[in-house]
Amino acid sequence: MIDRQVTDLIDRLETQHSLSLEEYAFLIRNRTQESMDYIASKARRIREEIYGTSVYVRGLIEFTNICKNDCLYCGIRRSNRQCERYRLTAEQILECCDMGQELGFRTFVLQGGEDGFWNDDRMCGLISRIKQAHPDCAVTLSLGERSRDSYQRLFDAGADRYLLRHETADKTHYEQLHPQEMSFDHRMNCLRDLKEIGYQVGCGFMVGSPYQTPETLAKDLKFLEEFSPDMCGIGPFIPHKDTPFASQTAGTLEETLWLLSIIRLILPYVLLPATTALGTIHPKGREMGILAGANVVMPNLSPVSVRKKYELYDNKICTGDEAAECRSCLSKRIQSVGYELCTDRGDVRR
Ligand code: SAH
């Protein structure tokens, strides 16, 4: 038997794209298999109306794992002495892009720790070289918090998009996940700056992070409603053995799928990845993510020699596969659930 109150809320979310904090928390508490099927079919329909059955590909280049921050959940936090540090050279990064271009990717995501070596001059130089070599490709940055002036310079150098997960929209919860020197307000201000500058912006959070509650998640959903990002990255929290959260429990597949569908109803146009973390907690996690309303995948383009070292969490998948293998494996997986990989730039369709 499917709970009438839950289906009513789902129906309202579908038409109004908004609920109260209390209603979101109720929805999060009252997930059942039947309601997951119910909302997923709506999420698929909405996504297909806007994006068809195309799933967009982003080539992920994990270009440095050197980080000045000490986020309690993250495997590359500065206090982790077990982490073997690396930094790709500009030449190596450009080779990754060339390889990606050959494989049909038209978006490159440069993701890394907050590494002081990659100051504005060096980043701008890199971005212009990538854009020069691949003028038809989008460059997405995921470099953490920087000044507004720095974001502006990177944008002027040619960067198109920026991913900065807000991590949680609850200040107290933010402080439980981060060391004292990091600030919730600063991170939120970065997101607003990025949007004002003109980037396509992605925010997001981990599902099942320590101290998360239905109430903090309700705030995340309300924040998405109000901020209206172009992209939204969510994936399960997975503990990393060399962090203070080593013995915490991981987020679940079901809750992640439930939230993916809810987010699709709040933001019909949003670019929503089925993340590597989702593929890590379940062998068919990414396929199930697509069936819950996701429409982006981010295969790894980093050189195999560094893959294992960019370990944000334990047991990350695909650390041994060459980019071409990742691409063909993902392509088969996406086809197996009735969708196809799309090699357009895949800009947001507002
Ligand atoms: N330094 C950049 C990139 C961070 S890594 C930044 O600050 O934005 C990208 C994302 O991985 C993080 O935003 C976080 O949400 C996620 N992540 C980090 N550790 C994780 C873990 N243990 N489990 C799941 N996701 C994690």
Side-chain angles (χ1 to χ4, degrees), residues 84-198:
E84 204 185 310
R85 305 289 166 170
Y86 73 90
R87 175 188 292 138
L88 299 184
T89 62
E91 277 61 39
Q92 285 176 303
I93 297 167
L94 285 155
E95 278 169 27
C96 291
C97 296
D98 292 345
M99 162 77 72
Q101 167 102 39
E102 265 173 52
L103 293 171
F105 302 168
R106 294 296 174 269
T107 293
F108 305 121
V109 181
L110 301 180
Q111 188 179 86
E114 292 195 19
D115 176 358
F117 173 86
W118 287 103
N119 59 19
D120 294 347
D121 285 345
R122 291 197 178 102
M123 257 340 282
C124 287
L126 176 64
I127 294 164
S128 15
R129 285 179 73 186
I130 295 176
K131 287 298 248 191
Q132 213 157 22
H134 307 284
D136 56 336
C137 295
V139 170
T140 304
L141 303 177
S142 178
L143 322 172
E145 298 173 34
R146 300 171 85 100
S147 68
R148 182 176 176 124
D149 180 58
S150 166
Y151 288 145
Q152 183 70 57
R153 289 188 60 191
L154 304 180
F155 185 75
D156 295 340
D160 302 275
R161 310 184 187 136
Y162 205 104
L163 303 176
L164 185 72
R165 290 188 178 182
H166 63 286
E167 312 296 358
T168 169
D170 181 278
K171 192 175 163 91
T172 307
H173 185 211
Y174 187 91
E175 288 164 1
Q176 290 169 318
L177 300 178
H178 299 95
Q180 258 200 336
E181 72 263 15
M182 290 180 74
S183 140
F184 172 76
D185 295 323
H186 189 260
R187 199 158 184 96
M188 287 300 195
N189 282 335
C190 286
L191 280 167
R192 290 180 233 288
D193 286 343
L194 288 163
K195 206 173 189 187
E196 278 173 24
I197 290 168

Side-chain angles (χ1 to χ4, degrees), residues 67 73-75 111-114 142-145 163-165 167 187 205-206 235-240 277 310 312-313:
C67 192
Y73 44 84
C74 186
Q111 188 179 86
E114 292 195 19
S142 178
L143 322 172
E145 298 173 34
L163 303 176
L164 185 72
R165 290 188 178 182
E167 312 296 358
R187 199 158 184 96
F205 55 90
M206 295 176 287
F237 159 75
I238 304 173
H240 185 290
Y310 196 83
L312 308 178
Y313 45 81

Side-chain angles (χ1 to χ4, degrees), residues 14 33 35-54 257 260-265 268 272 287-295 337-339:
E14 182 188 14
Q33 189 54 54
S35 57
M36 283 177 71
D37 295 342
Y38 184 74
I39 197 172
S41 74
K42 286 184 187 293
R44 288 196 293 273
R45 213 201 51 239
I46 294 171
R47 183 264 317 275
E48 280 160 35
E49 277 167 16
I50 302 174
Y51 293 103
T53 52
S54 299
L257 298 175
L260 284 170
S261 298
I262 292 174
I263 292 169
R264 174 62 64 198
L265 265 53
L272 194 58
E287 291 90 318
M288 291 191 255
I290 298 298
L291 291 174
N295 65 336
V337 287
Y339 292 79

